[in-house]
């Protein structure tokens, strides 16, 4: 057995010893779910664990984040191991919070466990003494891009600038000294691991159509119908779908959040929210331009007005093939070669995509749950997969990156070409933000 393999075996033994505690912690997060930028109780649990492990975590990073850096004192890259703190809001989920409806219908509670499994593994003295560089453990808020009004308020209060927690971490400089990043998501499907798939990026939009209220029976000719404006806009969005290239994986999925006030009056205010998702920034912007045109057309057609607010969403991902290959090797040993799968483009989005623009990033999915992701029936079934083995696969990857004077880690860092600098990235997000009023 090579010395790296011996170190990995010691790391696995350390995880096995704490497996019950790691799973119990994940389940306690599941049973007390909190949505993005509200994860105070969840953060406290992680802070406590890290303190007991001998680290000195910083708390309230981007409101609720917890960060602890462990430095070997020997030169080498700094690897961030991430767990997302936030839940969705899915009333009717078996573990939904009775008051808020917050529920882990995306399995982030297990990410907390797999991150702390890596912490348990690498801090084992016989492992730690073999490593160079550092490992930074990050519990990051707000991956789910939801509760937009709440986040707009946080932004107005200057508590945050961006809606995604990793975006805020980048803005605050938390990733300035980080050289690579990893996290493991849960998902459904045949038990195993899926790697390599890239995420779409996305842009968020809200539109408020304004018209004039009037008696809907006696005097509709005196009104301007904001619902008709919105209907035309939605049809115009659909009319643009044939211009979306298959290769760009464009998804535009609007909802009406306010459709009128009383049935006896011409609707004077109608609100729409939508995402525009695509696999490249250019395609995201192209789609967003067409959506703007369609929103405007609706208002113009009836002589109303529309206010369009655009908010930066997430970047499309470019997960790093070199780091993925290292992870794959360990995942095949842990899950079985036949259970490690490669996926194509994913039409969903994550702010892990943002990190992948800036540094080598991997984002594997462990299949360990049943039900529809983001649905009321999404339940993590196999915690040995979700927490213990997911943690082992990341721990083995970290060890390979940082053992032997961090030779492999340095290779990964050297071969990586960032899509953009941090400054360009923040500028790109800010360029995507706008508020415009079009009057007909
Ligand atoms: Zn998720």
């Amino acid at each position: 057995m090579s010395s790296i393999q011996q170190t990995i075996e010691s790391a696995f033994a350390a995880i096995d010893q704490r497996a019950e505690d790691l799973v119990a912690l994940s389940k306690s997060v599941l049973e007390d779910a909190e949505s993005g930028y509200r994860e105070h109780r969840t953060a406290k649990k992680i802070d406590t664990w890290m303190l007991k492990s001998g680290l000195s975590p910083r708390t309230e990073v981007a409101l609720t984040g917890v960060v602890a850096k462990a430095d070997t004192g020997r030169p080498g890259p700094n690897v961030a191991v991430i767990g997302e703190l936030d839940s969705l809001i899915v009333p009717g989920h078996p573990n939904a919070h009775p008051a808020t409806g917050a529920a882990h219908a995306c399995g982030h509670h297990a990410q907390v466990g797999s991150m702390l499994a890596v912490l348990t593994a690498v801090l084992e003295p016989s492992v730690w003494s073999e490593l160079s560089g550092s490992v930074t453990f990050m519990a990051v808020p707000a991956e789910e891009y939801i509760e937009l009004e709440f986040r707009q308020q946080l932004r107005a209060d200057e508590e945050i600038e961006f809606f995604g927690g990793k975006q805020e971490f980048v803005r605050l400089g938390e990733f300035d000294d980080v050289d690579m990043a990893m996290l493991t998501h849960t998902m459904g499907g045949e038990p195993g691991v899926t790697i390599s798939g890239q995420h779409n990026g996305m842009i968020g939009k809200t539109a408020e159509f304004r018209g004039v209220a009037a008696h809907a029976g006696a005097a509709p000719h005196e009104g301007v119908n904001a619902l008709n404006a919105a209907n035309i806009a939605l049809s115009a969005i659909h009319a643009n779908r044939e211009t979306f290239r298959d290769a760009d994986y464009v998804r535009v999925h609007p909802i009406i959040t306010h459709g009128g006030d009383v049935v006896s009056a011409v609707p004077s205010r109608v609100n729409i929210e939508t995402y525009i998702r695509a696999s490249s920034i250019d395609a995201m912007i192209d789609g967003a331009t067409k959506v703007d045109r369609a929103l405007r057309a609706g208002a113009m057609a009836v002589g109303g007005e529309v206010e369009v607010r655009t908010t930066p969403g997430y970047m499309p991902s470019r997960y790093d093939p070199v780091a993925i290959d290292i992870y794959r090797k360990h995942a095949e040993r842990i899950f079985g070669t036949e259970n490690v799968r490669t996926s194509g483009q994913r039409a969903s989005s994550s702010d892990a995509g943002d990190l992948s623009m800036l540094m080598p990033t991997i984002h594997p999915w462990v299949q360990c749950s049943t039900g529809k992701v983001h649905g009321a029936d999404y339940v993590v079934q196999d915690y040995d997969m979700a927490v213990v083995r997911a943690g082992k696969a990341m721990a083995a990857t970290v060890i390979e990156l940082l053992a032997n004077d961090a030779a492999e880690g340095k290779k990964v860092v050297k071969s990586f070409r960032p899509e953009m600098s941090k400054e360009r990235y923040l500028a790109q997000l800010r360029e995507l933000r706008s508020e415009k009023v079009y009057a007909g």
Side-chain angles (χ1 to χ4, degrees):
M1 196 153 54
S2 75
S3 85
I4 283 200
Q5 202 49 49
Q6 273 165 4
T7 308
I8 289 172
E9 293 305 326
S10 307
F12 287 1
I15 292 177
D16 285 335
Q17 225 174 16
R18 297 297 306 276
E20 266 180 40
D21 297 337
L22 290 162
V23 170
L25 181 99
S26 300
K27 287 184 176 169
S28 88
V29 171
L30 168 74
E31 280 151 17
D32 193 12
E34 298 168 295
S35 59
Y37 292 125
R38 305 182 195 263
E39 314 94 326
H40 300 283
R41 297 185 300 274
T42 307
K44 185 77 204 144
K45 290 171 190 171
I46 294 159
D47 180 36
T48 303
W49 184 293
M50 288 177 170
L51 281 168
K52 278 191 190 158
S53 306
L55 298 178
S56 309
R58 288 178 294 117
T59 58
E60 299 179 9
V61 182
L63 298 182
T64 55
V66 186
V67 179
K69 183 175 180 179
D71 191 341
T72 64
R74 295 175 284 276
N78 180 12
V79 181
V81 180
I82 296 170
E84 292 163 351
L85 289 162
D86 63 321
S87 74
L88 283 145
I89 296 176
V90 187
H93 187 280
N95 303 104
H97 190 283
T100 62
H104 278 287
C106 195
H108 294 188
H109 64 293
Q111 292 188 26
V112 166
S114 62
M115 172 191 63
L116 293 175
V118 180
L119 182 153
T120 303
V122 300
L123 292 186
E124 167 69 23
S126 64
V127 175
W128 194 237
S129 61
E130 296 298 312
L131 307 184
S132 299
S134 18
V135 188
T136 301
F137 301 96
M138 292 182 164
V140 183
E143 187 273 335
E144 305 291 352
Y145 197 92
I146 59 170
E147 296 187 282
L148 301 194
E149 281 178 15
F150 166 62
R151 294 187 196 181
Q152 272 162 1
Q153 191 55 51
L154 289 177
R155 184 170 138 67
D157 295 342
E158 298 184 357
E159 301 269 7
I160 59 168
E161 177 179 353
F162 299 114
F163 291 178
K166 297 182 199 69
Q167 301 179 316
E168 277 296 279
F169 266 43
V170 172
R171 180 180 74 84
L172 295 167
E174 290 297 327
F175 281 99
D176 285 359
D177 72 339
V178 172
D179 299 293
M180 57 184 100
M182 65 176 73
L183 71 158
T184 304
H185 225 108
T186 67
M187 65 181 279
E190 282 292 298
V193 179
T194 298
I195 47 185
S196 302
Q198 302 293 350
H199 273 122
N200 265 359
M202 62 102 163
I203 292 171
K205 260 183 207 297
T206 60
E208 180 165 294
F209 292 92
R210 297 177 196 133
V212 176
H215 195 292
H221 56 279
E222 291 176 357
V224 174
N225 191 318
L227 183 59
N228 286 343
N231 274 323
I232 292 164
L234 293 177
S235 297
I237 289 171
H238 298 320
N240 277 282
R241 291 191 193 278
E242 67 181 24
T243 72
F244 298 148
R245 299 186 325 152
D246 291 352
D248 292 330
Y249 293 88
V250 180
R251 296 282 191 279
V252 182
H253 41 89
I255 58 169
I256 293 180
T257 55
H258 181 86
D261 295 289
V262 292
V263 69
S264 57
V266 170
S268 60
R269 178 173 68 86
V270 171
N271 294 84
I272 284 180
E273 276 182 22
T274 191
Y275 285 0
I276 300 101
R277 307 187 198 244
S279 60
S280 73
I281 296 172
D282 285 349
M284 283 155 57
I285 292 174
D286 177 66
T289 306
K290 288 169 180 167
V291 166
D292 276 354
R293 217 164 55 194
L295 296 170
R296 202 174 163 181
M300 297 304 108
V302 302
E305 70 174 28
V306 61
E307 178 173 338
V308 181
R309 284 182 175 212
T310 305
T311 48
Y314 296 156
M315 290 287 155
S317 73
R318 300 285 180 264
Y319 300 127
D320 184 60
V322 184
I324 284 171
D325 277 348
I326 295 175
Y327 176 87
R328 180 197 310 274
K329 194 174 69 183
H330 296 292
E332 285 179 349
R333 256 194 80 230
I334 294 163
F335 294 93
T337 310
E338 67 284 8
N339 299 319
V340 176
R341 291 172 277 269
T342 304
S343 81
Q345 181 73 30
R346 285 165 181 269
S348 56
S349 313
S350 166
D351 57 358
D354 293 50
L355 297 182
S356 74
M357 294 269 131
L358 306 172
M359 66 190 68
T361 302
I362 62 170
H363 189 183
W365 290 271
V366 172
Q367 281 108 330
C368 55
S369 46
T370 52
K372 294 176 285 300
V373 66
H374 291 198
D377 58 350
Y378 186 84
V379 176
V380 171
Q381 300 288 358
D382 187 338
Y383 280 85
D384 180 59
M385 297 274 270
V387 173
V388 179
R389 285 200 259 175
K392 284 181 179 175
M394 287 198 289
T397 306
V398 171
I399 290 166
E400 176 151 4
L401 290 167
L402 298 184
N404 292 338
D405 297 325
E408 287 298 320
K410 287 172 188 165
K411 261 193 235 168
V412 170
V413 173
K414 203 169 167 216
S415 68
F416 180 75
R417 294 281 165 272
E419 290 274 327
M420 54 183 79
S421 66
K422 173 187 168 183
E423 291 65 35
R424 179 65 211 130
Y425 160 73
L426 292 173
Q428 174 73 74
L429 290 185
R430 288 169 183 143
E431 281 163 23
L432 289 171
R433 187 184 289 135
S434 66
E435 285 177 26
K436 286 182 189 148
V437 178
Y438 303 105

